[in-house]
Amino acid sequence: MQRILTLASGFSVDYTNMFGAERLQESDFAEYQQQLLAAHQAVQELTVTGNSTYGQQVLFTQMPEVKFGKINTPASIAKLQAYAQNMQNRVQAVVSLGVGGSYLGGRVIFESLVDEYWNGLSARERFGRPKLYFAGNSLSATALQSLLRELLRQAQAYVLKYKKRYTLTLLVTSKSGTTLECITGFMNLYTTFADYADVLNLEVAVLTQTDAQAPNPLEELAQVWGWEVFRVPTGIGGRFCVFTDPGLLIGAILGLDINSFLQGACDMALACQNADIWANPAWLNAALKYLAAQKNGKFIEVFMPYSPNLKALGEWYVQLLAESLGKKRADGTAYSRTPVVAIGSTDMHAQTQEHQEGLANKLVQFIQITHESIEVRVPEVFMQQEFFARYAGLSLNNLNKQALQANAQALASANRPSLTINLPVLDMYYLGNLMYFYMLSIAYEAELAGVNAFDQPGVEVYKQYLRAHGG
Ligand code: PA5
């Protein structure tokens, strides 16, 4: 029996293979009915009031709507658009500095929706939009040095060719304004580039959060130097902030349709108000994964899009899941599901052996893009040899779909669960649909599991050790 939840937009969740022998049964949903209903009520309450079960103000559910008095207002969107517009044909490159949630969302937009070799395209091919680099996401001196050298080389070549200075913008994103990787990366890039003022015109903008309880050194610095300031709104954690300035600004700079991205989130929010679990994708997704853990011991989730463009989405999801759900409950017991990223079909040649025959402690979450924007067929070459001739004319997109289907069938044949999210196309609308779906799913699962999705006390422990070492 096929089990598929399809929204009017065409976004669908095929969860057929979550049910069956050694997997979920209808009766599991009946057994957990009260808990499932309570989770739905808590998430709806959070959506309407912003009050979390743990007494925090959690405002991520306000992000999709652009409205006066909300997180995104017509004025805040206009400010982003104007800033991005002013970069077009003027700024040659942007370095986005940040780590964790502050940076991953923007990276997802970049990797999913622009040409993989964007930074190698000409300015004309980029429609005058800047090149985009990411930094401040590690403490690697090698990575920082390579980026410095590359940008200085570009600036020197630009001056020789155009007889004017190369303009570079540093976007420094840190909610707290104190994060080690981001701040030390910024200090290094800023100092070095300032020494090359003859070839390079340096601009800085910061994206940060004002906290009445704690000083924000980055915000103070921005005030002293008069840098442009964008906001990570109060009440929104880094891993939930892609629909606010840090994510939207990256989209606007690249010339992508940020209104469509927000509309995708809005439509998903609406679908997830449905009081019928079988028609509410986030509630259903959370329930399937929570019950697979409780009933069948599936404590690992393999996140496997069949598109290399969605690898950054996998990294974003890893943070969202791990940092939101991997923690202690009030009674001291722990909950978690370990996220693992795999890319289809590439990792069928690396991980699938283990998914198929290793410990039966995981579920595989596939993502399929139904209509790819680019089609490539295998050419008619080497036709005299039967082995090559049989591939001639085949569509790579169809082969990719067949690979996914074969993977899901093979897992099901061993009673191993998987589910497939189908996106009609990969664009800003469906990326908004998908990312908001995952955020809401996490909010639902946290309610089911009895953990607070919106804090990260475990992260403080290593930070204390690091500070003791002077970091
Ligand atoms: O999700 C989160 O809140 C974290 O991952 C933060 O984004 C990350 O630690 C970076 O923090 P900040 O934005 O304060 O630099």
Side-chain angles (χ1 to χ4, degrees), residues 93-336:
V94 169
V95 180
S96 172
L97 291 118
V99 67
S102 312
Y103 125 92
L104 283 163
R107 186 155 201 152
V108 172
I109 293 174
F110 178 64
E111 288 197 14
S112 307
L113 294 175
V114 301
D115 191 291
E116 187 170 349
Y117 300 103
W118 174 261
N119 290 339
L121 299 181
S122 68
R124 184 194 290 257
E125 286 168 317
R126 285 182 274 108
F127 304 100
R129 303 287 179 179
K131 296 180 181 183
L132 178 61
Y133 298 90
F134 292 91
N137 50 12
S138 78
L139 294 169
S140 163
T142 313
L144 199 64
Q145 194 61 30
S146 299
L147 179 62
L148 275 166
R149 267 206 302 263
E150 167 62 13
L151 288 167
L152 288 174
R153 191 193 57 71
Q154 283 184 29
Q156 279 153 352
Y158 186 87
V159 170
L160 277 179
K161 190 168 177 188
Y162 298 104
K163 312 288 178 234
K164 61 177 181 180
R165 290 190 305 163
Y166 182 93
T167 298
L168 174 71
T169 304
L170 301 182
L171 286 186
V172 193
T173 307
S174 177
K175 206 159 52 87
S176 60
T178 59
T179 303
L180 185 64
E181 292 86 344
C182 174
I183 297 301
T184 54
F186 169 57
M187 290 165 76
N188 269 300
L189 293 185
Y190 183 85
T191 310
T192 308
F193 292 142
D195 281 347
Y196 285 86
D198 53 331
V199 292
L200 204 144
N201 174 37
L202 188 62
E203 298 178 353
V204 179
V206 308
L207 296 97
T208 195
Q209 190 168 81
T210 302
D211 182 348
Q213 314 299 319
N216 183 322
L218 186 61
E219 186 171 21
E220 287 167 14
L221 201 64
Q223 276 160 10
V224 171
W225 288 85
W227 297 328
E228 187 79 55
V229 177
F230 293 91
R231 293 287 162 203
V232 185
T234 312
I236 298 191
R239 56 192 178 276
F240 290 89
C241 78
V242 67
F243 294 100
T244 66
D245 289 5
L248 299 180
L249 186 57
I250 296 286
I253 287 172
L254 295 169
L256 298 168
D257 186 349
I258 58 175
N259 289 316
S260 180
F261 186 56
L262 290 166
Q263 189 59 49
C266 258
D267 291 350
M268 183 54 71
L270 196 63
C272 296
Q273 284 171 15
N274 203 314
D276 173 6
I277 190 167
W278 307 106
N280 178 328
W283 188 11
L284 178 62
N285 182 48
L288 289 165
K289 291 175 180 175
Y290 175 71
L291 292 177
Q294 297 311 111
K295 304 298 291 188
N296 311 120
K298 309 300 179 193
F299 289 111
I300 295 174
E301 177 172 355
V302 180
F303 186 87
M304 192 165 188
Y306 270 60
S307 166
N309 292 17
L310 293 178
K311 189 163 188 182
L313 180 78
E315 288 174 24
W316 173 84
Y317 183 69
V318 163
Q319 194 220 7
L320 182 68
L321 173 55
E323 216 166 80
S324 303
L325 298 186
K327 53 191 61 161
K328 287 198 181 114
R329 301 177 171 103
D331 67 3
T333 59
Y335 183 77
S336 68

